[in-house]
Amino acid sequence: MADRSSIADSQPPAFVMAGMLHAMWTARSLYVAAKLGLPDLLKDGPRTPADLARAAGAHEQSLYRLLRALASVGVFAEDEQGRFALTPLAEQLRSDVPGSQRALAMMMGEEHYRAWEDLEYSIRTGKTAFNHVFGKGIFDYMVDHPETARTFDAAMVGVHGRESAAMCDVYDFSSFRTLVDIGGGNGSLISVVLQRTPGLRGILYDLPHVVERAKGNLQAAGVLDRCGTVGGSFFEQAPPGGDAYLMRHILHDWDDERCLTILRNVRKVIPPTGKLLVVEGVVPPGNGPSFTKLLDLAMLVVPGGKERTEREFQDLYAAAGFRLTRVVQTAVEVSVVEGVPV
């Protein structure tokens, strides 16, 4: 991956900066295209703007301008007859493809967008913009807005789906008897681990209404017979019975104090020979491009958490009664941060 100096050398800095500033235009255009369902409307072949406008309930000329703009950045393609078709990028916004990014586009374009509008509030105060805008934290907000919760679940599958296989490629779960997925959400992660590790049993642990949503996914994945579900709050307790406790993108949602509450609850039930497995990005040193550093800003703005360096993980583990044993990098942005009780 090129560093910033090589990018600046290849293009004038003013041009690079203008592209960064205009990125919002593309993001908002993608959101509207996803919300209107344009990629789904094009899955059977090219269609005219007039046809698409009728199907999507949109203004024909304005829709044409949206499609033309997105075609200029490789999303959609206009043919000589004025019809628009899908491109490989546009395929990612279909709702019916593996790893669909449509829900992510919807999530980023709605409540998350409004929270990011208040980034300055977070930077000035150190407080969470989402709470400031909506009057409550995002997880409480989703309890009151089930449609937002469903979009969030689908977005997380699209975002984190590739992480599951990448994690299993570099970390061997076969030595464990029972894996407890703390804050396991819709069950997508533990489903992949159980599919890849035939002798393993699982426990999905999350809030009661969340695990109810997950049971259908576990059934569809063919692992419900090997995966129990337990409803509860990881701020109050962790379920006993595992010899490995897994958390993916849980700690980064919270500040250190609340992370210590979660980890200490795990420490109370994990056996002396057990393993703590935290799957998250680890903030790298230096000035190179880093998605994790941008995600760290998202954690500040939306849930109020943070991404952490390896040293910060070491300190957090030690304070909770664990020792960090190794960091196993995957082929994607996350690592398995392994710990053992001390």
Side-chain angles (χ1 to χ4, degrees):
M1 198 177 261
D3 62 24
R4 293 181 302 171
S5 61
S6 65
I7 294 173
D9 289 342
S10 63
Q11 297 183 21
F15 183 84
V16 175
M17 177 56 67
M20 291 179 175
L21 294 172
H22 293 144
M24 180 191 70
W25 295 359
T26 303
R28 293 302 289 169
S29 296
L30 291 169
Y31 161 68
V32 172
K35 186 168 186 178
L36 293 176
L38 300 181
D40 284 346
L41 293 173
L42 289 170
K43 66 181 180 181
D44 294 324
R47 298 174 71 169
T48 66
D51 189 17
L52 288 169
R54 284 192 295 271
H59 180 258
E60 178 184 343
Q61 186 58 26
S62 299
L63 182 62
Y64 170 73
R65 292 163 70 177
L66 175 71
L67 290 163
R68 179 177 63 182
L70 286 173
S72 75
V73 293
V75 184
F76 306 119
E78 185 178 8
D79 64 19
E80 294 178 353
Q81 298 174 335
R83 301 176 305 170
F84 284 87
L86 294 174
T87 63
L89 281 176
E91 289 274 0
Q92 304 306 305
L93 294 178
R94 283 176 52 182
S95 61
D96 59 348
V97 296
S100 170
Q101 302 295 295
R102 182 174 187 262
L104 177 63
M106 300 287 289
M107 183 184 79
M108 296 295 289
E110 295 180 346
E111 289 89 351
H112 283 227
Y113 179 78
R114 290 178 59 192
W116 270 90
E117 284 185 317
D118 224 2
L119 171 64
E120 182 183 352
Y121 169 82
S122 288
I123 300 303
R124 288 188 179 277
T125 66
K127 298 179 181 178
T128 307
F130 190 99
N131 300 41
H132 186 242
V133 172
F134 293 99
K136 62 181 65 176
I138 184 172
F139 299 110
D140 291 334
Y141 180 90
M142 288 194 292
V143 171
D144 298 333
H145 297 81
E147 183 57 38
T148 298
R150 285 190 288 272
T151 300
F152 177 84
D153 283 349
M156 292 305 98
V157 172
V159 169
H160 302 316
R162 62 187 185 135
E163 295 175 356
S164 301
M167 179 189 71
C168 290
D169 287 341
V170 298
Y171 196 90
D172 182 9
F173 290 88
S174 64
S175 64
F176 303 127
R177 297 184 305 276
T178 302
L179 176 69
V180 181
D181 189 358
I182 301 289
N186 60 21
S188 61
L189 174 60
I190 200 165
S191 292
V192 172
V193 177
L194 292 176
Q195 288 170 340
R196 295 275 295 261
T197 317
L200 184 66
R201 300 193 66 82
I203 297 173
L204 175 67
Y205 182 68
D206 213 313
L207 295 171
H209 69 275
V210 176
V211 296
E212 282 302 313
R213 294 203 309 264
K215 287 180 181 178
N217 296 330
L218 296 172
Q219 180 70 50
V223 298
L224 186 59
D225 62 329
R226 289 193 287 133
C227 188
T229 58
V230 179
S233 170
F234 47 53
F235 290 121
E236 297 174 0
Q237 60 185 358
D243 54 338
Y245 284 76
L246 174 67
M247 286 180 272
R248 180 174 68 178
H249 296 305
I250 299 299
L251 298 185
H252 78 163
D253 286 334
W254 309 103
D255 59 25
D256 286 352
E257 181 180 353
R258 282 179 283 190
C259 284
L260 285 174
T261 298
I262 298 168
L263 289 172
R264 285 168 178 160
N265 284 334
V266 173
R267 182 65 182 84
K268 291 175 184 176
V269 296
I270 193 170
T273 58
K275 292 287 180 66
L276 170 69
L277 309 172
V278 171
V279 181
E280 293 193 0
V282 177
V283 178
N287 298 315
S290 171
F291 176 77
T292 303
K293 292 176 181 179
L294 290 173
L295 183 60
D296 180 55
L297 277 182
M299 294 302 103
L300 170 64
V301 168
V302 181
K306 60 186 288 189
E307 302 299 318
R308 293 174 171 86
T309 64
E310 183 173 346
R311 178 57 184 270
E312 287 173 323
F313 275 115
Q314 286 177 342
D315 293 343
L316 195 64
Y317 279 26
F322 291 94
R323 176 172 57 86
L324 194 156
T325 50
R326 56 177 175 152
V327 176
V328 183
Q329 178 65 54
T330 74
V332 294
E333 295 89 357
V334 299
S335 297
V336 181
V337 184
E338 182 190 80
V340 295
V342 294

